[in-house]
Amino acid sequence: EVQLVESGGGLVQPGGSLRLSCAASGFAASSYWMTWVRQTPEKGLEWVSNINEDGSEKHYVDSVKGRFIISRDNSKNSVYLEMNNLRDEDSALYYCVRSARGDLWGQGTLVTVSS
Amino acid sequence: VLTQSPATLSLSPGERATLSCRASQSINNYLAWYQQRPGQAPRLLIYDASNRVTGTPARFSGSGSGTDFTLTISSLETEDFAVYYCQQRSDWPAWTFGRGTRVEIK
């Protein structure tokens, strides 16, 4: 089955860190740009970061630059989002998304930043 | 910035739904429409303004170019009551999403 499965979310204190993982199955993730998008009731859907097929190009929304790092391991068909110095406003449901068209989404992993 | 209207659309099954998405500047045809049902991830329906993804029912159609775009559902089915988002990739690699239109049962 073609799918994306996110993991690694949880409750973390402000200033803490989390590493999200996205495991692809049923297709070769190495053929696609991969993106992280987050969603909250207050802000809606927000693009966070993306990475090109071989990991040589990475982009971030301004609010996470210097704190989040996107990476991928094509041998494991996986993409990651390392989140550091987390803030309350980073609390969201984080989705992993395939391709520049956004044609496949995972079910999301919930990140809650709270003391 | 993408502005969707209306915020909520109250209709009955079988009725026609017309959803609007307006961009603050031209995005050519780089506009997509997503459907999100409660508790589910967004699902891509339409890309590049008017192209249906495989599996998107024919009752869904997208139109427009430049700054004004429309998603039309010709005859609402029960499973179509959901939230719909537009998204632009004209600023690739960044994406921008609209705030959504909720289509609810009247």
Side-chain angles (χ1 to χ4, degrees), chain A residues 39 42 50 59 101-102 105-106, chain B residues 34 36 41 47 92-93 99:
Chain A
Q39 184 174 30
E42 298 77 23
N50 50 20
H59 301 275
R101 285 181 182 170
W105 293 54
Chain B
Y34 291 85
Q36 187 174 33
Y47 66 93
W92 178 259
R99 293 307 307 269

Side-chain angles (χ1 to χ4, degrees), chain A residues 3-107:
Chain A
Q3 64 178 354
L4 296 167
V5 178
E6 303 93 335
S7 61
L11 175 63
V12 61
Q13 292 187 337
S17 298
L18 279 176
R19 188 189 193 219
L20 305 185
S21 298
C22 169
S25 58
F27 69 98
S30 59
S31 297
Y32 298 91
W33 277 78
M34 297 297 292
T35 298
W36 288 96
V37 172
R38 63 188 179 186
Q39 184 174 30
T40 64
E42 298 77 23
K43 296 184 69 176
L45 291 162
E46 180 183 36
W47 168 76
V48 175
S49 178
N50 50 20
I51 186 168
N52 72 339
E53 293 88 341
D54 66 4
S56 61
E57 191 174 341
K58 305 174 184 181
H59 301 275
Y60 303 91
V61 67
D62 284 347
S63 61
V64 309
K65 283 180 181 176
R67 300 188 299 122
F68 289 13
I69 300 172
I70 191 170
S71 63
R72 66 191 303 159
D73 185 340
N74 287 336
S75 69
K76 295 183 178 179
N77 223 23
S78 294
V79 180
Y80 308 97
L81 187 67
E82 182 178 344
M83 305 187 297
N84 301 306
N85 192 19
L86 282 160
R87 305 169 180 169
D88 290 350
E89 56 265 33
D90 295 319
S91 295
L93 185 60
Y94 283 74
Y95 292 106
C96 177
V97 187
R98 183 180 78 173
S99 92
R101 285 181 182 170
D103 63 351
L104 180 67
W105 293 54
Q107 284 304 300

